[in-house]
Amino acid sequence: GAGVSQSPSNKVTEKGKDVELRCDPISGHTALYWYRQSLGQGLEFLIYFQGNSAPDKSGLPSDRFSAERTGGSVSTLTIQRTQQEDSAVYLCASTLEVSYEQYFGPGTRLTVT
Amino acid sequence: GNSVTQMEGPVTLSEEAFLTINCTYTATGYPSLFWYVQYPGEGLQLLLKATKADDKGSNKGFEATYRKETTSFHLEKGSVQVSDSAVYFCALRNSGNTPLVFGKGTRLSVIA
């Protein structure tokens, strides 16, 4: 079946611009996660959605970052006023509650110039 | 808090060599432990997992044993292949659907 998809696969933006990154989780998966993979920092948790509960935003690095999940499915991560340190690969994962295994998308590589 | 420490790379081995990538963790409670692999140009994939002490996870010739007494989950493979070249991440999850906590990753290069 279809896996987790993310778009765009690559995004180059100028410092100060806003960007939106999209994640389509596996159909039926109840939980959705955003992580960031940057050089020297490994993989960092950003935000987590579980069903209809309020999201866990504890990993967001600043108030320039926000995310929403519409209809319990597609999620959009928005970064406002991008900075060069935001350059990273942004990964999305989803999980079917029963198995708890997280399935990752291919990521969006964001480059801020 | 929860954290994962894994050996820094890069690790370069000849084909058929023995591989060990060390991973230790700090966690409250009884976490589940994972190894994820990221092949060049591909997304993160689950390689193996263990959910309780003394469990051994295994897949594709790789193994790791959950050692509570040493808080470790070292990854091993007896004979590596060129196709094993990738970045390997050790991770833990404390319960249910909570987010994974990752180590910084270890890049493995296997040369023929």
Side-chain angles (χ1 to χ4, degrees), chain B residues 19-96:
Chain B
L19 168 72
T20 300
I21 300 178
N22 289 337
C23 171
T24 57
Y25 67 90
T26 302
T28 54
Y30 303 96
S32 295
L33 302 175
F34 305 83
W35 278 99
Y36 278 82
V37 59
Q38 190 173 36
Y39 297 104
E42 297 186 18
L44 215 57
Q45 303 173 25
L46 178 64
L47 179 60
L48 54 83
K49 66 180 181 183
T51 57
K52 61 183 188 298
D54 300 326
D55 267 3
K56 178 186 282 188
S58 61
N59 186 23
K60 299 182 181 181
F62 291 88
E63 292 183 339
T65 302
Y66 189 142
R67 301 284 189 203
K68 188 167 181 290
E69 63 276 13
T70 54
T71 62
S72 65
F73 192 55
H74 304 321
L75 183 67
E76 297 182 335
K77 186 174 186 182
S79 175
V80 293
Q81 305 300 312
V82 172
S83 56
D84 295 327
S85 298
V87 181
Y88 293 82
F89 292 90
C90 185
L92 70 81
R93 186 188 63 219
N94 241 335
S95 63

Side-chain angles (χ1 to χ4, degrees), chain A residues 33 35 37 48 50 100-101, chain B residues 38 46 89 93 97 99-100:
Chain A
Y33 310 77
Y35 296 88
Q37 184 178 15
Y48 151 53
Q50 170 64 61
Y100 300 146
E101 178 177 339
Chain B
Q38 190 173 36
L46 178 64
F89 292 90
R93 186 188 63 219
N97 275 338
L100 291 161

Side-chain angles (χ1 to χ4, degrees), chain A residues 15-46:
Chain A
K15 178 181 171 181
K17 302 280 190 184
D18 297 353
V19 295
E20 286 189 350
L21 312 179
R22 177 187 169 106
C23 171
D24 279 277
I26 294 173
S27 177
H29 280 197
T30 59
L32 185 149
Y33 310 77
W34 283 97
Y35 296 88
R36 178 169 70 174
Q37 184 178 15
S38 46
L39 279 176
Q41 297 297 320
L43 274 150
E44 305 168 277
F45 160 70
L46 297 176

